[in-house]
Amino acid sequence: MNIGELTYSLGAEWDKKSLENIKSGLASVAQGFTVAIGLVTGAVGGMFATTKKFTELNDELGKTARNRDIAIDSYEALKYSFQGAGIEADKVKDVLEELQEAKGAFAQGGGDRDLWQTLGINPNKFKSNEELFYATIDRLSQVKDKNIQNELSKRLFKTQDLANLFDGGSEAIKQQKKELEELGVLTS
């Protein structure tokens, strides 16, 4: 049954223009419905894509933290601390990797043993790289001569860019982590 037959059966008398307006309106509604369905489908697809990307990033973060022997929340907190000190957040991974390699070399009887002696640290006494990192930062923060501090940092971490991080020592990093947890940015 078309619109004309419907109006005739209802006894309605509409002119041709009114019927065209009704037909046009129904077509617009159908088109709007199609657009709405498309938008909903796109939004749902976008949510799935975002969720997938977030899951992939979180998985990568977890793997990186585990490979560097550091808790995920601590790893994230270090990234914030690095940024706050004007250091690229991505450098955390490299710094922890260098620390892990230096610790491994020391454990096998090699590496820069003079460096560890200068810092007064035995890397084998630390259960995790996180603990070793904090102890190393504290020792480097105690070196008053910035040239020597930078040289030791370069020998251990292969970068001199960490000077701003040494100023507050590990307590500043731990305090920032606590604040981030209180704000809900990190969960422990």
Side-chain angles (χ1 to χ4, degrees):
M1 175 180 284
N2 65 32
I3 293 178
E5 292 171 347
L6 178 65
T7 57
Y8 179 76
S9 68
L10 293 174
E13 293 184 23
W14 294 353
D15 63 5
K16 188 174 182 177
K17 179 139 176 87
S18 295
L19 291 175
E20 287 175 7
N21 285 342
I22 291 171
K23 185 177 178 181
S24 173
L26 290 173
S28 293
V29 168
Q31 184 180 13
F33 184 71
T34 302
V35 168
I37 292 295
L39 290 174
V40 168
T41 302
V44 169
M47 287 182 349
F48 282 123
T50 300
T51 301
K52 182 179 182 227
K53 185 67 173 171
F54 179 76
T55 302
E56 289 170 356
L57 289 174
N58 198 30
D59 186 48
E60 181 180 333
L61 172 65
K63 287 177 184 175
T64 301
R66 278 189 305 278
N67 290 341
R68 303 297 172 258
D69 192 23
I70 185 169
I72 293 173
D73 61 333
S74 296
Y75 183 78
E76 279 295 289
L78 280 178
K79 289 173 75 172
Y80 281 103
S81 294
F82 273 51
Q83 287 175 323
I87 307 164
E88 291 179 37
D90 291 341
K91 205 163 203 116
V92 171
K93 182 178 176 182
D94 298 335
V95 165
L96 292 175
E97 187 174 290
E98 292 297 336
L99 182 65
Q100 187 172 5
E101 287 178 15
K103 180 182 178 183
F106 184 87
Q108 294 177 1
D112 193 345
R113 299 182 86 69
D114 291 337
L115 168 70
W116 293 112
Q117 187 175 7
T118 300
L119 292 173
I121 295 175
N122 178 351
N124 293 334
K125 291 187 176 183
F126 294 90
K127 294 179 184 176
S128 70
N129 284 343
E130 181 176 354
E131 293 173 6
L132 177 57
F133 179 77
Y134 287 141
T136 304
I137 293 297
D138 286 338
R139 290 299 170 98
L140 286 167
S141 72
Q142 295 169 3
V143 176
K144 299 303 176 206
D145 186 326
K146 296 296 181 189
N147 291 326
I148 294 173
Q149 187 185 68
N150 285 335
E151 177 59 32
L152 293 172
S153 175
K154 187 173 182 177
R155 284 170 56 191
L156 180 58
F157 300 118
K158 307 295 185 254
T159 183
Q160 298 179 56
D161 298 340
L162 305 181
N164 292 338
L165 198 62
F166 302 145
D167 292 339
S170 68
E171 284 307 311
I173 297 169
K174 291 174 185 176
Q175 180 61 36
Q176 184 177 25
K177 178 183 174 188
K178 182 180 176 186
E179 291 169 5
L180 291 168
E181 288 171 344
E182 289 171 0
L183 291 171
V185 175
L186 301 176
T187 56
S188 54

